[in-house]
Amino acid sequence: MQASMRQTASVNGVQRASRQVAMRPAPARPASSRRVGAVKVQALFGLFKQKESEVLAEVSAQFDRWNAALQTKDPKQVAALYAKDGVLLPTVSNRVRTSPGEIEEYFSNFLQLHPNGKIDDSNVRLLAEDTAINSGVYTFDLVRDGKPAKVQARYSFTYKRLGDGKWYIVDHHSSGMPEVVADNDLEEVAKQFDRWNASLQTLDPAKVAAMYAPSAVLLPTVSNRVRTTSAEIQDYFVNFLQLKPFGKIDESNVRMLASDLAINSGVYTFALTKEGAVSKVQARYSFTYRKVDGEWFIIDHHSSAMPETEEKKIAEVSKQFDRWNAALQTGDPAKVAALYAPGGVLLPTVSNQVRTTKAEIEDYFSTFLTLKPNGKINDANVRLLDAETAINSGVYTFDLVVEGEPTTVQARYSFTYKKINKEWLIVDHHSSGMPEKVEMAVKKVEAAKKEAVAV
C-alpha cells in the first residue's frame, strides 16, 4: 500500500506532494518568515514574466530575419531559416513543400519578384518554452514585368528553438486575402471586351450572340427594344454588323462582385462604315459577366448614347475663347498663362520665339498685355477630334492701345484644346498675321516705285 502511494506520488509530482502536505498540519511559522516567503514567490513570478516578454520579442524579430534573407536574393539563405522537417504552404502555389530542397526551389522563383515584406497585423504567442507562433497579415512590395506592385496576404509562422539556440520555421502557411480580388481576375475580365470585339470582326451574328448567357439581357445603343433571348440578341447584331463595327475602350472600370461575377462599365468608341464612309460613335457601356464552367459570359449588356451631345461639346469649346479673352482683361499674365496646359505651346503673332513653358508664355503676355488687348472672333471653326480633344481655328480681331492711340489688328488663329481634369486647357496656340495684308502692302510699294520711274 505504501509502495503504491509512493509510485503515485512519483507520477503525480507536485500535485501529489501538495496533497500530502495538506493532510498534515503545517508547523507554525513566524509572520515575518511568511512575509519573506511571499516576496520570494512574487520575485520568482516576475522573472518568469520578464523571460516570457523577452522570448516574445525574440520571436517577433524572426520575421525581420526572414525578410532580410529575402533581400539577399539567395534562396539557400531563405531555406536555411526553415527546420529540416519544415513545411511551407505558399500563397501562390497549390503544392505543399516538405523538404529543404522543395522550399529552396519555391524561393528560386519567388525571389525573382524582388519581394520586400512588412507586417500589418501581428499576433505572437508562446505555445511552449521553445515553441511559438506568429500569425497575422503582411504586405509585400513586388516587381512584376518591371512594374511595382503590392500584395497583401495572411500568414502563420510556427517556430521551434533548436539545440543551437536559434529559432527555425517548422510551419509557414501563407494565403491570399479572401475578400480581395487578384489582379489577374480583373485582367481576365477586362480582356472579355477584346474577345467580344473580335467576334464582331467575324461579322457573324451567331458568334457574337454566343458570348451572351442564355438568359442574358441586351439594351442596345440604337434600338428601343430590350433583347432578352439569344435569338433576339442575334437579330440585333444581324443589322449592327452591317456597319462593320470596330470598338475600343476609352474608359474602363472593372470590379469583381463575387469570384464568378464581375462588371465592366465605362465609355467605348466604335468606328463604323456606312455607305463607304467611316464615322466614329462614342457611347457608354456596362457589361455584367458571369463565369460558367471556367468561361465568362455576358449576362447584361447596356449601351447608351453619350448624354452630352456633340453640339453641346462644340458650344463648350467655343466658349473657351471668351474665357481666354476675359483673362486678358485682368491684365495679369499669370492668369492668362494658367489657361495653357502643362507642355502647352504658343506661337505668337509678333514674336519669332516659340514659347514651350509656362514661364515663357507668361513672359510673352507680360509684354502683350501692355497693349490692353480685347479680342473678338470674326470667323470660327470648331471641331471635336475625340471626346477630350478639340480645335478652334479662324480669324480674330484685337482692339489695342499703341503709344496711347487705339488701333485694330486682325490675325489668324488656331487653338487646340485638351480636357484635363474636366477643364479645357490650351495645348497649342498658333497666331499669325493676315498674309494678304502683307502682300497688298508689298504691291503698293512696287506700284509707287513704278510711278516714280514713269515720272
Side-chain angles (χ1 to χ4, degrees), residues 69-70 73-75 78 106-115:
L70 296 185
K73 306 295 186 293
D74 183 352
V78 183
Y106 173 77
F107 284 107
S108 294
N109 295 314
F110 183 62
L111 292 177
Q112 294 177 18
L113 300 177
H114 305 283

Side-chain angles (χ1 to χ4, degrees), residues 15 30 45 61 98 160 187 236 264 271 309 314 355 367 398 421 445 449 451:
Q15 183 179 5
F45 277 115
T98 59
K160 186 76 176 172
E187 291 172 6
Y236 173 77
N264 182 359
T309 62
I314 286 176
R355 317 284 169 136
T367 302
F398 285 95
N421 296 328
V445 171
K449 286 181 178 178
E451 286 179 7

Side-chain angles (χ1 to χ4, degrees), residues 45-46 64 146 159 164 168 193 278 310 353 383:
F45 277 115
D64 296 329
Y159 299 98
D164 60 0
Y168 291 88
F193 175 81
V278 178
E310 185 171 330
Q353 183 187 344
R383 291 91 70 209

